[in-house]
Amino acid sequence: MFSSTHAMHAFKTAFAALLTFTITSLLNLEFGYWAVISSVIVMQVYVADSIEMCLYRFSGTLIGAMLGVIVIFVISKTEFFIGIALFVTVGLCSFLTHYKSRYKMAAITLVIVIMTGTHARNIFVFGLSRVFEICMGILCAFAVSVLIFPKRRVDVLKDRLEEQAKVCSEKCSILANAFVSRQQNVEETLVEDLVKNVWENHEILEKIRQHESLIYHKKFNENFSTKISILNRSAEHLRNMVRALNSLDGDGYEIVMSKEIENLAQESGKALVNLIKNDSASISNNLEKMVTLQRYLHNSSFHNFSFPV
């Protein structure tokens, strides 16, 4: 299936590589291809991910370059000792990726410096040159990611929360209908995907806070933490409703207030969607009456059957 998002990512990655190649050619950099490679590595679909990769690549490059320079000064310039040095340093960096992802980038730069700089006249200048080239690629990728048709995680999160609110509303109506229809059992997995997707919002929000919020501060004004918390509680309520329905045996009972319960489900769902959309003015005036009904239901024998809002 064609994806416009990934098509744009392909274009931006290619453009970043071309931009980096053009600049390194104009500057006549000896190892300019490392800059082009870096631009391709750093470029990600979303701005937050690109910024994260820029930081990892930059910090990893500095660490790797310093280690590479130290190794070349310390070891004998023979294939045997170079192999031993690569084994030890690359193994160390790979082990440290367990704690920080930047050490993977450090290992890459380390290999570049050791493999190509062993016989350099001035190893310090050689190491700085590799850092400069790689940073050139990082800067080009960063500029393209931020300035050319940026795909922001904050926009994705906003659409994601609105879609999840709609799903909550739909599931609530389904469960309410099952409840009033003599407490029919439902699929245990009815809301599992929703619960999982809602919890993934925390990780997305954390990436936005760490990276995108510094650049797109105005885009971050919405209270995403509150919205995510509301959706978390809503998803948990729906899961409790599933468990309550499936815990009942027998033919079930006729519900006298079936119409009111169905209306409560609909109004609760609408209120949740409007709340996530920041459209509080559209929330029905009947919701307060519906909440009173919900409290009554909480005090009934079906106290686990609660609605999203």
Side-chain angles (χ1 to χ4, degrees):
M1 183 181 295
F2 178 80
S3 172
S4 59
T5 298
H6 286 84
M8 181 56 65
H9 171 62
F11 167 77
K12 291 173 65 174
T13 303
F15 185 80
L18 177 60
L19 176 63
T20 308
F21 171 74
T22 302
I23 294 175
T24 55
S25 297
L26 292 174
L27 296 176
N28 196 28
L29 297 180
E30 181 181 3
F31 293 91
Y33 55 85
W34 291 120
V36 180
I37 293 173
S38 294
S39 67
V40 175
I41 292 174
V42 166
M43 182 62 67
Q44 303 293 313
V45 174
Y46 299 104
V47 173
D49 299 329
S50 290
I51 294 174
E52 182 179 34
M53 283 297 294
C54 285
L55 295 174
Y56 282 162
R57 182 66 169 155
F58 177 71
S59 59
T61 295
L62 292 179
I63 295 170
M66 287 188 295
L67 282 175
V69 169
I70 293 172
V71 166
I72 292 176
F73 265 109
V74 171
I75 67 171
S76 174
K77 309 302 189 293
T78 63
E79 291 186 359
F80 175 78
F81 285 105
I82 291 174
I84 294 297
L86 284 172
F87 178 81
V88 173
T89 53
V90 172
L92 176 63
C93 289
S94 297
F95 173 77
L96 292 174
T97 56
H98 175 70
Y99 304 100
K100 294 289 183 180
S101 299
R102 69 187 62 169
Y103 287 104
K104 184 174 183 179
M105 299 301 178
I108 295 173
T109 305
L110 174 69
V111 172
I112 293 172
V113 173
I114 293 178
M115 295 297 293
T116 61
T118 305
H119 302 292
R121 292 182 180 179
N122 190 324
I123 185 57
F124 285 110
V125 174
F126 183 87
L128 288 174
S129 297
R130 302 300 75 78
V131 171
F132 176 76
E133 289 156 0
I134 291 174
C135 288
M136 179 65 66
I138 293 172
L139 289 174
C140 288
F142 173 79
V144 171
S145 180
V146 172
L147 300 177
I148 299 179
F149 304 112
K151 187 72 173 177
R152 306 177 181 92
R153 280 278 188 187
V154 67
D155 296 328
V156 173
L157 180 60
K158 182 178 179 181
D159 294 339
R160 180 185 175 95
L161 295 180
E162 292 179 4
E163 181 61 30
Q164 289 171 354
K166 292 178 183 178
V167 173
C168 280
S169 178
E170 293 169 0
K171 300 295 185 184
C172 182
S173 294
I174 292 172
L175 292 170
N177 290 334
F179 176 69
V180 300
S181 301
R182 304 185 70 88
Q183 300 82 61
Q184 294 178 359
N185 289 354
V186 296
E187 292 290 335
E188 288 286 347
T189 59
L190 182 66
V191 298
E192 290 305 312
D193 288 341
L194 174 64
V195 173
K196 179 182 177 182
N197 291 334
V198 166
W199 276 104
E200 289 173 354
N201 294 333
H202 293 283
E203 182 180 350
I204 297 173
L205 180 61
E206 188 60 28
K207 281 195 173 186
I208 294 172
R209 280 176 169 167
Q210 290 181 357
H211 306 300
E212 276 189 15
S213 62
L214 301 176
I215 299 176
Y216 306 111
H217 182 68
K218 292 182 179 179
K219 282 275 186 179
F220 198 67
N221 286 338
E222 294 190 46
N223 196 345
F224 287 111
S225 295
T226 301
K227 292 180 179 180
I228 290 175
S229 177
I230 290 172
L231 284 172
N232 280 342
R233 292 198 302 270
S234 299
E236 287 300 324
H237 283 319
L238 292 173
R239 184 154 62 178
N240 289 335
M241 290 164 70
V242 170
R243 292 169 177 169
L245 281 172
N246 291 341
S247 66
L248 299 175
D249 298 323
D251 296 331
Y253 304 92
E254 291 289 345
I255 304 299
V256 176
M257 303 177 65
S258 59
K259 188 62 178 178
E260 288 80 1
I261 291 175
E262 289 177 339
N263 289 338
L264 171 60
Q266 293 176 2
E267 291 295 332
S268 296
K270 290 178 183 178
L272 177 64
V273 171
N274 291 328
L275 187 63
I276 299 301
K277 288 183 175 181
N278 294 327
D279 189 13
S280 57
S282 298
I283 297 178
S284 173
N285 292 328
N286 294 326
L287 185 59
E288 184 176 354
K289 296 179 181 178
M290 296 297 178
V291 171
T292 301
L293 173 60
Q294 183 174 353
R295 289 172 180 168
Y296 169 79
L297 291 173
H298 270 294
N299 293 327
S300 71
S301 59
F302 301 108
H303 60 278
N304 284 327
F305 198 81
S306 54
F307 295 95
V309 296

